[in-house]
């Protein structure tokens, strides 16, 4: 998928003659209303609704993961992916608007499913064939993706970050015992577990049969995770409470374990309340339809993005003495190993590029076919005009917001070498980097993740609703919204690992038909671009009739 998506980004950049150079013109168009044109919402509302889904936890946690796995150079490759991705977002939005349809009551419908059905008719055996089956597949995969990456993952992220922010007293004493030598449990000063931090020198205790924690803070279902020298994969082991010693839990891990980490797999009250509040707030908006969703996103997205970027700028000012070193480290690490913070060495070109590109692709969703669904609802004079507006979404998402996160993470690691950049997990690297900044660091991170995740749910619920309407008509939208609310309510209290895996699969599956549509309709994209963009006709109206469908 990395090869396919990045290859498409580069291909469309060449075919559109580097349309990225028109980005600032596109930004101006994004705040220009076009009320006399066909459409349901303004271009700016369309953009902010699309940004609601793309500016999410990937911009914060995803960047930290890229740095943890690929080194500081991953930030460079993530940023470069965004630059090239602008062309693909432009192309997919162009064909979505060009081949959109409208219902009998005048509501606009569009996206990759309509572009495939109406725009692609290959000749097989001398006859034009319909590709509607591929359009149906795209819609099905998009609906399934909306349940996972659009809803389940995001509400789980909200509950987790709030739980971590408010449950600061999770502290457990750590102890060991060798049954052949000892009879009593002794918590012998090997340290405490604070906020699920790793204790990394477990190999020194390889003779011990059991590991214990003194559950003084009443964890509901403690679990220990371990890795071995042979594998970096974390393996979970449940802990058993001792009959004769309440709140003392025991687990057995292999002799070759070299790192351990504790977590509470129980359901916390904070997570439960956060999930219910999120469910209520989302339900109020999504049952109001696209106009309500777009109005909320129009107010929320600029606020949350500006707040987060300003917070990052303040942190970068505080880290100003290492800012130039941060930039040079990112650039040089993209092409050669370079030390970072407390000992992380650059992972080399291949790993830096792999994780940087992967997180960039995940963050901006260029090529996935999601944002063009809402672009089709915009009031616009011609497809190119709205495609330019939609393309700015990738600019703001990856070129600006992801870059700001990357600079904060890398500069904080350089300035605070005590951050364990070798062993820490990616999401926690972001938290550790922001936590180094007094007063504002952690609040910026917590509020940013909550708002970003909330807005992502709004955007993806609309995408899923439009795909449901394509598959089943308007009668399918209410059951879909009810199912969204149910998933919102249960997601904070279920294991999210499987949801992440399935979401990634469905994201890839919905991207493939969309990429096919972009490549197949490239001649149309080039023709429209030459006529409207490079022919200086952006103010000209496209008079092509928009078909009416019975939905």
């Amino acid at each position: 998928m990395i090869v396919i998506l990045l290859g498409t980004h580069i291909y469309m950049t060449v075919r559109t003659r580097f349309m990225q150079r028109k980005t600032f013109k596109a930004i101006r168009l994004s705040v220009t209303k076009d009320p006399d044109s066909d459409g349901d919402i303004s271009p700016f509302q369309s953009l902010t609704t699309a940004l609601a889904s793309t500016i999410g936890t990937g911009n914060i946690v995803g960047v930290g993961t890229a740095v943890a796995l690929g080194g500081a150079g991953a930030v460079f490759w993530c940023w470069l992916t965004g630059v090239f991705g602008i062309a693909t977002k432009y192309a997919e939005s162009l064909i979505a608007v060009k081949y959109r349809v409208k219902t009998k009551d005048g509501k606009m419908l569009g996206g990759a499913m309509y572009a495939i059905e109406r725009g692609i008719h290959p000749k097989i055996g001398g006859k034009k064939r319909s590709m509607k089956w591929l359009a149906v597949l795209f819609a099905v995969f998009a609906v399934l993706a909306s349940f996972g990456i659009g809803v389940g993952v995001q509400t789980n992220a909200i509950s987790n970050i709030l739980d971590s922010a408010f449950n600061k007293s999770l502290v457990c004493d750590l102890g060991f015992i060798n049954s052949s030598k000892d009879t009593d449990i002794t918590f012998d000063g090997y340290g405490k577990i604070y906020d699920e931090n790793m204790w990394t020198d477990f190999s020194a205790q390889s003779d011990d049969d059991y590991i214990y924690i003194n559950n003084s803070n009443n964890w509901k279902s403690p679990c220990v995770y371990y890795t071995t020298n042979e594998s970096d994969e974390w393996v979970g082991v449940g802990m058993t409470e001792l009959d004769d010693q309440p709140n003392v839990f025991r687990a057995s891990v292999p002799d070759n374990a070299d790192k351990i980490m504790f977590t509470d797999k129980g359901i916390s009250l904070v997570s439960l309340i956060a999930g219910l509040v999120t469910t209520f707030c989302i339900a109020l908006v999504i049952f109001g339809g696209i106009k309500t969703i777009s109005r909320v996103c129009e107010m929320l997205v600029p606020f949350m993005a500006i707040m987060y970027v300003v917070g990052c700028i303040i942190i970068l000012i505080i880290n100003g003495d290492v800012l130039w070193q941060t930039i040079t480290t990112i650039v040089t690490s993209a092409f050669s190993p370079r030390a970072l913070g407390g000992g992380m060495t650059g992972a080399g070109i291949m790993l830096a590029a792999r994780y940087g590109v992967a997180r960039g692709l995940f963050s901006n969703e260029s090529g996935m076919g999601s944002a063009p669904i809402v672009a089709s609802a915009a009031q616009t004079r011609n497809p190119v005009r709205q495609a330019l507006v939609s393309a700015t979404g990738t600019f703001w998402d990856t070129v600006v917001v992801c870059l700001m996160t990357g600079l904060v993470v890398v500069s904080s690691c350089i300035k605070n070498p005590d951050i364990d950049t070798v062993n820490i997990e990616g999401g926690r690297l972001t938290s550790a980097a922001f936590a180094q900044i007094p007063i504002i660091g952690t609040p910026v991170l917590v509020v940013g993740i909550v708002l970003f995740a909330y807005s992502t749910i709004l955007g993806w619920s609309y995408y899923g609703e439009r795909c449901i309407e394509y598959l089943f008509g308007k009668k399918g939208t209410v059951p879909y919204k009810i199912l969204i609310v149910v998933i919102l309510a249960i997601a904070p209290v279920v294991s999210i690992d499987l949801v992440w895996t399935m979401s990634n699969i469905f994201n890839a599956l919905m991207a493939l038909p969309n990429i096919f549509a972009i490549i197949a309709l490239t001649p149309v994209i080039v023709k429209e671009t030459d006529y409207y963009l490079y022919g200086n006709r952006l103010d000209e109206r496209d008079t092509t009739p928009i078909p009416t469908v019975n939905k």
Side-chain angles (χ1 to χ4, degrees):
M1 288 308 304
I2 290 175
V3 172
I4 292 172
L5 286 168
L6 186 58
T8 303
H9 292 355
I10 297 172
Y11 176 70
M12 294 314 304
T13 296
V14 174
R15 293 304 305 271
T16 60
R17 291 189 277 165
F18 198 71
M19 56 72 51
Q20 289 91 329
R21 54 198 166 102
K22 303 292 185 179
T23 296
F24 293 105
K25 178 189 285 290
I27 292 173
R28 179 179 59 81
L29 289 175
S30 69
V31 294
T32 303
K33 292 185 177 180
D34 201 0
D36 297 328
S37 300
D38 292 324
D40 305 326
I41 56 179
S42 71
F44 185 70
Q45 288 176 326
S46 170
L47 173 63
T48 52
T49 303
L51 279 173
S53 68
T54 54
I55 297 183
T57 54
N59 297 80
I60 302 177
V61 178
V63 174
T65 303
V67 173
L69 298 174
V75 176
F76 173 85
W77 293 108
C78 181
W79 178 83
L80 195 63
T81 300
V83 172
F84 283 108
I86 292 173
T88 300
K89 184 65 69 71
Y90 166 84
E92 62 184 353
S93 300
L94 190 158
I95 58 176
V97 176
K98 182 171 180 61
Y99 293 106
R100 65 182 176 175
V101 299
K102 61 182 178 181
T103 61
K104 291 181 178 180
D105 58 1
K107 183 175 66 177
M108 291 293 175
L109 303 174
M113 54 279 199
Y114 294 97
I116 294 170
E117 181 180 345
R118 296 188 56 222
I120 305 175
H121 300 94
K123 282 189 177 181
I124 301 176
K127 294 183 179 180
K128 287 186 176 180
R129 305 292 181 178
S130 172
M131 297 290 290
K132 186 173 181 177
W133 62 271
L134 188 62
V136 169
L137 284 179
F138 171 85
V140 169
F141 294 142
V143 169
L144 293 173
S146 73
F147 292 144
I149 202 69
V151 177
V153 169
Q154 305 302 329
T155 188
N156 191 271
I158 291 174
S159 63
N160 284 343
I161 192 67
L162 290 177
D163 188 47
S164 297
F166 290 102
N167 277 339
K168 287 294 185 183
S169 61
L170 297 180
V171 180
C172 291
D173 296 307
L174 183 64
F176 304 93
I177 188 172
N178 185 311
S179 58
S180 63
K181 301 177 183 177
D182 305 309
T183 56
D184 298 323
I185 303 170
T186 56
F187 295 97
D188 45 12
Y190 284 105
K192 295 177 182 290
I193 306 299
Y194 293 92
D195 273 346
E196 305 176 17
N197 287 331
M198 300 178 202
W199 187 75
T200 59
D201 193 23
F202 183 71
S203 57
Q205 301 296 325
S206 60
D207 289 337
D208 293 306
D209 297 311
Y210 298 104
I211 184 169
Y212 291 82
I213 60 169
N214 179 14
N215 190 24
S216 56
N217 284 281
N218 296 314
W219 282 8
K220 297 175 178 62
S221 181
C223 178
V224 59
Y225 285 81
Y226 69 89
T227 64
T228 66
N229 290 311
E230 293 78 22
S231 172
D232 289 331
E233 181 181 357
W234 289 97
V235 179
V237 178
M239 304 195 77
T240 304
E241 187 173 18
L242 301 186
D243 294 333
D244 57 341
Q245 296 190 55
N247 282 333
V248 175
F249 285 75
R250 181 179 77 177
S252 176
V253 296
D255 289 344
N256 61 343
D258 67 331
K259 301 176 196 169
I260 58 172
M261 176 175 63
F262 290 94
T263 185
D264 184 5
K265 297 182 74 66
I267 301 171
S268 77
L269 183 60
V270 173
S271 293
L272 190 60
I273 293 174
L276 293 176
V277 171
T278 301
T279 301
F280 177 75
C281 293
I282 291 293
L284 285 178
V285 178
I286 65 174
F287 279 95
I290 180 57
K291 291 186 181 294
T292 304
I293 292 174
S294 63
R295 282 196 295 267
V296 172
C297 292
E298 184 180 25
M299 294 182 291
L300 177 62
V301 171
F303 165 76
M304 73 179 192
I306 291 172
M307 180 215 68
Y308 181 73
V309 170
V310 169
C312 288
I313 290 174
I314 294 174
I315 293 173
L316 291 176
I317 292 174
I318 295 174
N319 292 347
D321 56 328
V322 297
L323 188 56
W324 179 247
Q325 182 184 353
T326 298
I327 295 173
T328 55
T329 299
I330 288 173
V331 175
T332 55
S333 296
F335 302 99
S336 62
R338 178 80 177 267
L340 171 63
M344 174 189 286
T345 57
I349 297 177
M350 292 305 295
L351 282 181
R354 173 189 172 190
Y355 290 109
V357 169
R359 294 300 167 178
L361 294 171
F362 170 80
S363 172
N364 60 54
E365 297 181 10
S366 292
M368 195 179 296
S370 50
I373 295 174
V374 71
S376 305
Q379 297 167 329
T380 185
R381 300 181 188 188
N382 56 69
V384 170
R385 190 180 178 96
Q386 180 56 37
L388 284 170
V389 173
S390 297
T392 63
T394 298
F395 171 79
W396 294 120
D397 177 271
T398 308
V399 179
V400 176
V401 178
C402 282
L403 177 62
M404 298 300 293
T405 304
L407 289 173
V408 167
V409 170
V410 177
S411 64
S412 295
C413 290
I414 291 175
K415 190 166 184 176
N416 301 277
D418 291 337
I419 295 178
D420 184 7
T421 54
V422 177
N423 296 302
I424 197 168
E425 181 266 334
R428 296 184 182 279
L429 178 60
T430 305
S431 300
F434 275 80
Q436 299 301 315
I437 309 303
I439 302 176
I440 69 165
T442 298
V444 166
L445 181 68
V446 171
V447 175
I449 287 180
V450 170
L451 292 181
F452 284 11
Y454 177 81
S455 67
T456 298
I457 297 170
L458 291 180
W460 268 96
S461 66
Y462 175 74
Y463 299 156
E465 181 184 343
R466 291 285 72 82
C467 290
I468 282 289
E469 188 166 352
Y470 177 80
L471 294 169
F472 305 108
K474 195 172 182 179
K475 63 180 180 295
T477 58
V478 172
Y480 171 79
K481 292 175 182 177
I482 294 174
L483 188 54
I484 286 289
V485 171
V486 172
I487 294 174
L488 283 168
I490 65 175
V493 298
V494 300
S495 173
I496 207 66
D497 294 342
L498 180 61
V499 178
W500 264 111
T501 301
M502 298 305 294
S503 298
N504 287 333
I505 292 172
F506 291 130
N507 285 350
L509 290 175
M510 71 179 283
L512 290 174
N514 183 62
I515 292 295
F516 173 80
I518 293 172
I519 301 301
L521 294 171
T522 294
V524 175
I525 296 168
V526 172
K527 181 180 178 182
E528 296 282 309
T529 301
D530 287 343
Y531 182 81
Y532 288 107
L533 182 58
Y534 297 122
N536 295 318
R537 297 184 179 92
L538 286 175
D539 293 330
E540 184 177 314
R541 295 189 184 278
D542 183 0
T543 57
T544 305
I546 300 175
T548 300
V549 296
N550 184 22
K551 288 285 185 182

